[in-house]
Amino acid sequence: MKKPSYRTLAARNRTQADRIDELIEQRDDAVKGEQACASQLERIAHENNLLRDEVALTIVACKHPSSALSDAHSVAIALQEALTARGIDLRVELARLEGSDL
């Protein structure tokens, strides 16, 4: 059986090294994508908690006997202002819904 030449072995080694480099790059790209996704999920979870808190606070305020939030319009305005103060902008969602036939 004939031994492969040095050049053949060197070429195979280069090919394998190139493939390993490609796999490492793919893995690194996947890790970066996973980290970005995890960061977005954390941001969404935080925003969800803020929304839940504001809705709960508004409900409690509406139930209080001395509340000025006695009608649906005043509750809607108070909730929108509270969310805006927390940095949650609902203009796109409101425009879409207000333009629809509910």
Side-chain angles (χ1 to χ4, degrees):
M1 184 170 168
K2 184 178 177 184
K3 284 185 172 181
S5 72
Y6 173 76
R7 288 182 185 165
T8 304
L9 289 174
R12 285 184 191 167
N13 287 342
R14 276 194 307 276
T15 301
Q16 286 179 341
D18 290 345
R19 181 65 183 140
I20 289 169
D21 289 343
E22 288 175 19
L23 291 171
I24 290 171
E25 186 176 333
Q26 289 173 0
R27 183 208 56 205
D28 291 346
D29 289 345
V31 167
K32 287 177 187 174
E34 289 170 3
Q35 289 171 338
C37 186
S39 176
Q40 287 178 334
L41 287 173
E42 287 174 1
R43 181 188 56 77
I44 290 168
H46 177 70
E47 191 170 287
N48 184 39
N49 285 336
L50 290 176
L51 289 167
R52 291 170 60 109
D53 289 347
E54 281 306 324
V55 169
L57 287 169
T58 302
I59 290 170
V60 169
C62 289
K63 289 181 178 179
H64 195 274
S66 65
S67 176
L69 304 174
S70 59
D71 61 57
H73 181 74
S74 60
V75 171
I77 297 299
L79 184 57
Q80 185 175 358
E81 288 173 354
L83 292 173
T84 300
R86 289 223 186 192
I88 298 170
D89 186 2
L90 296 177
R91 287 181 292 182
V92 171
E93 291 84 356
L94 290 171
R96 181 178 46 85
L97 292 172
E98 289 171 349
S100 68
D101 297 320
L102 294 178

